[in-house]
Amino acid sequence: MKIIIAGAGRVGTHLAKLFAREKHNIVVMDENPDKLGHLQVNYDLMVKVMTPTSIVGLKEIGISHCDLFIGVTPDEDLNINSCMIAGRLGAKRTVARVDSVEYLSKESQEFFTQMGISSMFIPEMVAAKEIVSSVERSWARMWWEPDGGEGNLALVGVKVRQNCKILNVPLKDLPNQDTAYHIVAIKRGSETLIPHGDDIIRPYDLVFFMTDKRNQDFIRSICGKENYTKVEDVIIMGGGTTAVFTAQLLPGNMNIKIIEQDINRCYELNKQISNSNVMVIHGDGRDLSLMHEENLDDTDAFIALTPNSEINIISCLTAKKMGVKKTVAMLDNLNFLSMAESLDIGTLINKQAISASNIYRMILRADVSNVKSLMVANADVAEFTAAPGAKITKKLIKDLKLPTTATLGALIRDGRGHLINGMTQVKEGDKVVAICIDNGLKALASFFD
């Protein structure tokens, strides 16, 4: 597949590395040659110093044969214009990173589709939605709901400890494993497992459950998380765009404080956020006296969203020591991911990885409506739709010889979600939720098209 990426910033670079590993034909363009040098040296791809709106330049790099054009420069207008031009010149699909929320409305999307732009996304908004989902259920590291299914299915990631009630028991012997939940992945240290019946759960594993939402209290109980109280008071350190979206998306019954160092930014935040439950405070979130003054030790959730990954990690560790149960850290630098997870600081958010998940589904041949990166587990969860005559519909799940790097957690049929087991028969049109590691996502796609 030929993929052209306009913009060699963090999102563009992350996408280029991801796609290059899968041996796609990748071209990365940027007007700054310094951003392209390391990509050309370390990865099997082509780089081009040029503006993405150059018609001559786009033709030179084969835009008419492009399967996917991605505009992820820091300039919203440049992304939009380059995608429009790429679409007119023959690119099959285009996706643009934007800043304006109004562009994501249904009416705007219909307009931009006519102009040649297949999809748009705001990295900070996508990250904020992840944060809100995690904070609303403070006992879980991650909570994700598949599209459709009347909202009754959920994939839940939980860090288990010594008080977990299902430790050291083979999964095949666990009660309610087929009716209330499925354990679909286990992150243990630096390794992620697609579990089988003889595997067991150990203390400090990060366990991913596919469950019916009605059983969330049961999952919470068997994981020993009953002592997590409902989040009412939240402190956000850092007043960037992600913080704004987070404050706006969090429920109105939560009391939110945003702590920002830059006094001018504080004034801007007060103009942007009209919610009565949000207070903007000028100060340094690393100042312990200020944090005591703002009652950090009585806060239910602490969210560190500064541009500095190290500061976010250290601040969350400090909040944990002060008694905050729910902490969230944004990591702009993925090199800190393993270290941050080993420190057990809470939920980790990375805009590049989240954005890549939304774009990645466009390169899969099967009908994949959604892809989510389980960042700390180095895994993906995807929603596949079974095409007419697809291999997945020919046999029971247990007889299909699915890739060992993938497992099926649930399906949605006629608008209703159901857990999957070995005796399940997938039918044409079913939407199936799959969890994959390594190259499992690509390998599994062939069963659905």
Side-chain angles (χ1 to χ4, degrees):
M1 182 174 287
K2 187 176 181 68
I3 302 173
I4 298 177
I5 301 172
R10 286 179 173 171
V11 175
T13 298
H14 183 78
L15 286 167
K17 293 176 180 178
L18 176 67
F19 296 149
R21 283 197 295 266
E22 298 192 351
K23 307 301 181 183
H24 292 286
N25 180 5
I26 310 298
V27 181
V28 183
M29 67 175 74
D30 200 287
E31 296 181 74
N32 184 349
D34 294 336
K35 292 183 177 181
L36 297 171
H38 73 287
L39 283 174
Q40 188 173 30
V41 171
N42 297 308
Y43 297 91
D44 183 15
L45 48 76
M46 174 184 170
V47 300
K48 184 77 171 177
V49 180
M50 60 172 279
T51 174
T53 54
S54 168
I55 294 176
V56 172
L58 288 171
K59 288 182 177 179
E60 285 180 355
I61 61 175
I63 190 66
S64 61
H65 303 292
C66 177
D67 296 288
L68 178 61
F69 181 92
I70 306 168
V72 284
T73 77
D75 188 326
E76 175 186 68
D77 292 337
L78 189 59
N79 295 333
I80 291 173
N81 290 332
S82 63
C83 283
M84 287 181 178
I85 294 171
R88 293 288 184 178
L89 292 177
K92 293 179 182 177
R93 286 174 291 181
T94 64
V95 57
R97 186 204 65 78
V98 296
D99 303 318
S100 304
V101 177
E102 64 174 306
Y103 290 162
L104 302 185
S105 70
K106 183 178 179 181
E107 294 78 10
S108 294
Q109 288 186 355
E110 290 175 352
F111 168 77
F112 283 114
T113 297
Q114 295 174 358
M115 299 299 290
I117 302 179
S118 309
S119 179
M120 291 180 164
F121 72 100
I122 302 175
E124 294 80 7
M125 175 177 281
V126 180
K129 289 179 179 178
E130 293 258 338
I131 294 167
V132 171
S133 177
S134 176
V135 169
E136 287 181 320
R137 297 168 181 86
S138 60
W139 56 275
R141 286 289 176 90
M142 187 216 73
W143 181 280
W144 178 79
E145 297 176 17
D147 293 335
E150 298 181 2
N152 67 309
L153 290 175
L155 179 67
V156 190
V158 185
K159 186 85 168 188
V160 300
R161 306 183 191 278
Q162 296 286 359
N163 63 343
C164 177
K165 301 171 185 176
I166 54 174
L167 297 179
N168 304 315
V169 178
L171 300 189
K172 63 185 179 183
D173 297 330
L174 290 177
N176 306 107
Q177 166 76 317
D178 282 338
T179 56
Y181 62 88
H182 289 162
I183 294 174
V184 294
I186 300 173
K187 172 70 181 300
R188 180 173 297 149
S190 60
E191 182 182 11
T192 299
L193 310 172
I194 295 295
H196 299 90
D198 293 326
D199 289 312
I200 62 173
I201 297 172
R202 299 174 183 171
Y204 304 102
D205 282 350
L206 178 56
V207 183
F208 292 90
F209 298 84
M210 180 63 72
T211 186
D212 187 308
K213 283 173 63 176
R214 293 172 297 184
N215 290 302
Q216 64 175 296
D217 289 337
F218 177 68
I219 301 296
R220 181 176 179 174
S221 173
I222 63 175
C223 290
K225 300 292 182 179
E226 297 97 328
N227 62 333
Y228 278 71
T229 58
K230 185 177 180 180
V231 172
E232 295 180 346
D233 298 303
V234 180
I235 290 180
I236 300 174
M237 185 176 77
T241 305
T242 306
V244 173
F245 282 128
T246 301
Q248 292 173 332
L249 293 173
L250 283 169
N253 60 354
M254 292 185 184
N255 302 309
I256 304 164
K257 297 177 182 177
I258 300 177
I259 300 178
E260 168 57 41
Q261 277 187 282
D262 186 331
I263 184 63
N264 292 322
R265 180 58 181 167
C266 288
Y267 292 137
E268 292 176 14
L269 289 170
N270 278 317
K271 293 178 182 178
Q272 291 181 36
I273 305 173
S274 58
N275 309 45
S276 59
N277 63 321
V278 179
M279 177 186 298
V280 178
I281 298 169
H282 176 229
D284 189 342
R286 296 169 294 179
D287 183 345
L288 289 182
S289 61
L290 172 65
M291 300 310 285
H292 279 295
E293 185 179 323
E294 297 301 331
N295 301 314
L296 177 62
D297 49 350
D298 289 328
T299 296
D300 302 308
F302 177 82
I303 307 170
L305 301 179
T306 78
N308 189 303
S309 299
E310 298 99 313
I311 290 175
N312 294 339
I313 292 170
I314 293 171
S315 300
C316 283
L317 283 172
T318 302
K320 283 273 188 181
K321 289 183 179 180
M322 294 178 68
V324 180
K325 287 193 177 299
K326 183 64 180 182
T327 57
V328 180
M330 184 166 69
L331 302 183
D332 271 353
N333 190 340
L334 282 172
N335 293 327
F336 290 103
L337 181 60
S338 296
M339 183 265 286
E341 175 60 24
S342 68
L343 292 173
D344 196 22
I345 64 170
T347 299
L348 304 175
I349 299 292
N350 177 267
K351 290 183 290 187
Q352 299 96 288
I354 297 169
S355 300
S357 295
N358 290 339
I359 296 171
Y360 186 77
R361 65 182 171 85
M362 295 186 178
I363 73 170
L364 297 173
R365 288 180 299 147
D367 184 2
V368 184
S369 60
N370 199 1
V371 177
K372 174 181 173 56
S373 173
L374 306 182
M375 189 176 64
V376 297
N378 192 28
D380 296 293
V381 55
E383 296 176 54
F384 292 92
T385 300
K391 190 188 302 184
I392 196 73
T393 65
K394 301 297 186 183
K395 298 178 181 179
L396 298 177
I397 296 297
K398 68 181 182 66
D399 298 323
L400 279 170
K401 297 182 179 179
L402 296 173
T404 57
T405 52
T407 188
L408 307 183
L411 64 80
I412 298 170
R413 178 180 296 158
D414 299 326
R416 183 69 184 171
H418 308 272
L419 295 179
I420 283 178
N421 58 44
M423 299 303 294
T424 300
Q425 175 77 59
V426 176
K427 297 182 179 180
E428 173 188 333
D430 285 351
K431 182 180 288 186
V432 180
V433 182
I435 293 81
C436 309
I437 60 174
D438 301 329
N439 66 342
L441 195 61
K442 194 171 182 180
L444 190 63
S446 63
F447 283 80
F448 287 86
D449 56 15

